[in-house]
Amino acid sequence: MPRILGVDIPNDKRTIISLQYLYGIGPYKAELLCERTGIDRDKRARELSEDELAKLATILDNDDDFTVEGQLRRQIQQNIARLRDIGCYRGLRHRKGLPVRGQRTRTNARTRKGPRKTVAGKKGVKELR
């Protein structure tokens, strides 16, 4: 398996698909990478030479257009931390673990809120006679 930036990319898939296994690389950026390095997009990943892999790695490391893997994850975490620090609405939603982008929370939102926390029901107050 070829390794790029510490990530194993699948052997049997086309280069353009294999590159998408890197965090931060989607279909458009994979296409762009193949164009810039001059690699055939339909070539299988196992057929890539060491030279071609080195070209890919240097472009991903040095080019500002491609923020990928650890650097991208760090940047996203810093952006969220900034929102929390300034105390804006989105930062508060991140802090509370609720949906950030305006989704409803009365129903749904289970992914963000986690499993249901059942509250014991109140027993009816007996009437005094």
Side-chain angles (χ1 to χ4, degrees), residues 97-116:
L98 293 170
V100 176
R101 297 184 178 179
Q103 298 91 331
R104 66 164 30 232
T105 56
R106 183 172 179 174
T107 59
N108 302 331
R110 279 290 136 215
T111 303
R112 285 295 298 202
K113 290 169 82 173
R116 286 192 171 87

mmCIF file of all heavy atoms in Angstrom, residues 97-116:
data_model
loop_
_atom_site.group_PDB
_atom_site.id
_atom_site.type_symbol
_atom_site.label_atom_id
_atom_site.label_comp_id
_atom_site.label_asym_id
_atom_site.label_seq_id
_atom_site.Cartn_x
_atom_site.Cartn_y
_atom_site.Cartn_z
ATOM 1 N N GLY A 97 -22.704 21.104 23.496
ATOM 2 C CA GLY A 97 -22.865 19.863 22.744
ATOM 3 C C GLY A 97 -24.187 19.766 22.021
ATOM 4 O O GLY A 97 -24.742 18.682 21.859
ATOM 5 N N LEU A 98 -24.708 20.898 21.585
ATOM 6 C CA LEU A 98 -25.977 20.946 20.862
ATOM 7 C C LEU A 98 -25.717 21.275 19.397
ATOM 8 O O LEU A 98 -24.634 21.738 19.047
ATOM 9 C CB LEU A 98 -26.879 22.022 21.487
ATOM 10 C CG LEU A 98 -27.363 21.719 22.901
ATOM 11 C CD1 LEU A 98 -28.030 22.940 23.500
ATOM 12 C CD2 LEU A 98 -28.302 20.533 22.900
ATOM 13 N N PRO A 99 -26.713 21.090 18.522
ATOM 14 C CA PRO A 99 -26.509 21.427 17.114
ATOM 15 C C PRO A 99 -26.166 22.905 16.943
ATOM 16 O O PRO A 99 -26.728 23.757 17.618
ATOM 17 C CB PRO A 99 -27.856 21.115 16.463
ATOM 18 C CG PRO A 99 -28.512 20.157 17.367
ATOM 19 C CD PRO A 99 -28.023 20.489 18.739
ATOM 20 N N VAL A 100 -25.239 23.177 16.047
ATOM 21 C CA VAL A 100 -24.686 24.520 15.909
ATOM 22 C C VAL A 100 -25.383 25.315 14.814
ATOM 23 O O VAL A 100 -25.478 26.527 14.883
ATOM 24 C CB VAL A 100 -23.168 24.424 15.608
ATOM 25 C CG1 VAL A 100 -22.552 25.772 15.365
ATOM 26 C CG2 VAL A 100 -22.462 23.723 16.747
ATOM 27 N N ARG A 101 -25.906 24.636 13.809
ATOM 28 C CA ARG A 101 -26.360 25.331 12.615
ATOM 29 C C ARG A 101 -27.872 25.488 12.517
ATOM 30 O O ARG A 101 -28.449 25.412 11.436
ATOM 31 C CB ARG A 101 -25.842 24.614 11.381
ATOM 32 C CG ARG A 101 -24.329 24.646 11.327
ATOM 33 C CD ARG A 101 -23.821 24.025 10.076
ATOM 34 N NE ARG A 101 -22.375 24.101 10.008
ATOM 35 C CZ ARG A 101 -21.678 23.620 9.021
ATOM 36 N NH1 ARG A 101 -22.271 23.031 8.016
ATOM 37 N NH2 ARG A 101 -20.366 23.727 9.019
ATOM 38 N N GLY A 102 -28.533 25.678 13.639
ATOM 39 C CA GLY A 102 -29.942 26.042 13.605
ATOM 40 C C GLY A 102 -30.926 24.899 13.510
ATOM 41 O O GLY A 102 -32.110 25.128 13.309
ATOM 42 N N GLN A 103 -30.479 23.661 13.671
ATOM 43 C CA GLN A 103 -31.416 22.552 13.588
ATOM 44 C C GLN A 103 -32.302 22.520 14.834
ATOM 45 O O GLN A 103 -31.937 23.021 15.880
ATOM 46 C CB GLN A 103 -30.680 21.208 13.480
ATOM 47 C CG GLN A 103 -29.826 21.058 12.244
ATOM 48 C CD GLN A 103 -28.399 21.504 12.444
ATOM 49 O OE1 GLN A 103 -28.106 22.386 13.247
ATOM 50 N NE2 GLN A 103 -27.490 20.904 11.700
ATOM 51 N N ARG A 104 -33.453 21.879 14.691
ATOM 52 C CA ARG A 104 -34.355 21.770 15.830
ATOM 53 C C ARG A 104 -33.810 20.777 16.845
ATOM 54 O O ARG A 104 -33.085 19.848 16.506
ATOM 55 C CB ARG A 104 -35.746 21.362 15.374
ATOM 56 C CG ARG A 104 -35.819 19.971 14.795
ATOM 57 C CD ARG A 104 -37.212 19.385 14.689
ATOM 58 N NE ARG A 104 -38.241 20.351 14.487
ATOM 59 C CZ ARG A 104 -39.348 20.440 15.236
ATOM 60 N NH1 ARG A 104 -39.538 19.599 16.233
ATOM 61 N NH2 ARG A 104 -40.261 21.324 14.987
ATOM 62 N N THR A 105 -34.170 20.999 18.115
ATOM 63 C CA THR A 105 -33.690 20.088 19.156
ATOM 64 C C THR A 105 -34.832 19.473 19.943
ATOM 65 O O THR A 105 -34.598 18.622 20.788
ATOM 66 C CB THR A 105 -32.770 20.822 20.145
ATOM 67 O OG1 THR A 105 -33.454 21.940 20.686
ATOM 68 C CG2 THR A 105 -31.498 21.256 19.470
ATOM 69 N N ARG A 106 -36.061 19.904 19.676
ATOM 70 C CA ARG A 106 -37.182 19.312 20.407
ATOM 71 C C ARG A 106 -37.298 17.828 20.068
ATOM 72 O O ARG A 106 -37.496 16.984 20.944
ATOM 73 C CB ARG A 106 -38.470 20.044 20.064
ATOM 74 C CG ARG A 106 -39.648 19.531 20.843
ATOM 75 C CD ARG A 106 -40.845 20.391 20.636
ATOM 76 N NE ARG A 106 -41.966 19.862 21.391
ATOM 77 C CZ ARG A 106 -43.105 20.491 21.483
ATOM 78 N NH1 ARG A 106 -43.280 21.658 20.887
ATOM 79 N NH2 ARG A 106 -44.085 19.961 22.166
ATOM 80 N N THR A 107 -37.208 17.524 18.795
ATOM 81 C CA THR A 107 -37.099 16.123 18.375
ATOM 82 C C THR A 107 -35.803 16.038 17.576
ATOM 83 O O THR A 107 -35.235 17.057 17.189
ATOM 84 C CB THR A 107 -38.269 15.709 17.464
ATOM 85 O OG1 THR A 107 -38.270 16.546 16.311
ATOM 86 C CG2 THR A 107 -39.594 15.819 18.191
ATOM 87 N N ASN A 108 -35.358 14.849 17.313
ATOM 88 C CA ASN A 108 -34.106 14.629 16.579
ATOM 89 C C ASN A 108 -32.915 15.156 17.370
ATOM 90 O O ASN A 108 -32.967 15.210 18.586
ATOM 91 C CB ASN A 108 -34.169 15.236 15.177
ATOM 92 C CG ASN A 108 -35.309 14.663 14.372
ATOM 93 O OD1 ASN A 108 -35.708 13.528 14.591
ATOM 94 N ND2 ASN A 108 -35.853 15.440 13.461
ATOM 95 N N ALA A 109 -31.834 15.515 16.722
ATOM 96 C CA ALA A 109 -30.596 15.991 17.362
ATOM 97 C C ALA A 109 -29.963 14.948 18.279
ATOM 98 O O ALA A 109 -29.165 15.283 19.142
ATOM 99 C CB ALA A 109 -30.834 17.283 18.138
ATOM 100 N N ARG A 110 -30.308 13.678 18.090
ATOM 101 C CA ARG A 110 -29.756 12.636 18.962
ATOM 102 C C ARG A 110 -28.256 12.443 18.759
ATOM 103 O O ARG A 110 -27.555 12.025 19.673
ATOM 104 C CB ARG A 110 -30.479 11.303 18.720
ATOM 105 C CG ARG A 110 -31.790 11.196 19.445
ATOM 106 C CD ARG A 110 -31.564 11.082 20.947
ATOM 107 N NE ARG A 110 -32.489 11.948 21.636
ATOM 108 C CZ ARG A 110 -32.218 12.603 22.757
ATOM 109 N NH1 ARG A 110 -31.048 12.504 23.323
ATOM 110 N NH2 ARG A 110 -33.095 13.378 23.306
ATOM 111 N N THR A 111 -27.761 12.730 17.582
ATOM 112 C CA THR A 111 -26.333 12.560 17.334
ATOM 113 C C THR A 111 -25.541 13.498 18.229
ATOM 114 O O THR A 111 -24.540 13.108 18.831
ATOM 115 C CB THR A 111 -26.013 12.849 15.858
ATOM 116 O OG1 THR A 111 -26.794 11.984 15.062
ATOM 117 C CG2 THR A 111 -24.543 12.627 15.563
ATOM 118 N N ARG A 112 -25.964 14.741 18.323
ATOM 119 C CA ARG A 112 -25.247 15.720 19.144
ATOM 120 C C ARG A 112 -25.552 15.550 20.634
ATOM 121 O O ARG A 112 -24.678 15.696 21.478
ATOM 122 C CB ARG A 112 -25.631 17.146 18.727
ATOM 123 C CG ARG A 112 -25.024 17.616 17.452
ATOM 124 C CD ARG A 112 -23.534 17.748 17.509
ATOM 125 N NE ARG A 112 -23.097 18.729 18.498
ATOM 126 C CZ ARG A 112 -21.942 19.336 18.498
ATOM 127 N NH1 ARG A 112 -21.079 19.084 17.547
ATOM 128 N NH2 ARG A 112 -21.616 20.184 19.433
ATOM 129 N N LYS A 113 -26.799 15.250 20.969
ATOM 130 C CA LYS A 113 -27.206 15.211 22.372
ATOM 131 C C LYS A 113 -26.860 13.897 23.062
ATOM 132 O O LYS A 113 -26.809 13.835 24.279
ATOM 133 C CB LYS A 113 -28.711 15.465 22.480
ATOM 134 C CG LYS A 113 -29.097 16.898 22.138
ATOM 135 C CD LYS A 113 -30.588 17.073 21.993
ATOM 136 C CE LYS A 113 -31.270 17.247 23.313
ATOM 137 N NZ LYS A 113 -32.694 17.592 23.157
ATOM 138 N N GLY A 114 -26.661 12.837 22.283
ATOM 139 C CA GLY A 114 -26.352 11.538 22.864
ATOM 140 C C GLY A 114 -27.629 10.771 23.180
ATOM 141 O O GLY A 114 -28.727 11.223 22.886
ATOM 142 N N PRO A 115 -27.493 9.607 23.816
ATOM 143 C CA PRO A 115 -28.670 8.798 24.131
ATOM 144 C C PRO A 115 -29.619 9.541 25.076
ATOM 145 O O PRO A 115 -29.188 10.391 25.860
ATOM 146 C CB PRO A 115 -28.112 7.557 24.816
ATOM 147 C CG PRO A 115 -26.649 7.634 24.698
ATOM 148 C CD PRO A 115 -26.258 8.986 24.245
ATOM 149 N N ARG A 116 -30.875 9.173 24.995
ATOM 150 C CA ARG A 116 -31.886 9.847 25.830
ATOM 151 C C ARG A 116 -31.605 9.646 27.300
ATOM 152 O O ARG A 116 -31.235 8.569 27.743
ATOM 153 C CB ARG A 116 -33.272 9.293 25.508
ATOM 154 C CG ARG A 116 -33.791 9.765 24.200
ATOM 155 C CD ARG A 116 -35.272 9.434 24.065
ATOM 156 N NE ARG A 116 -35.800 10.074 22.890
ATOM 157 C CZ ARG A 116 -35.777 9.558 21.676
ATOM 158 N NH1 ARG A 116 -35.236 8.370 21.498
ATOM 159 N NH2 ARG A 116 -36.273 10.203 20.652
#
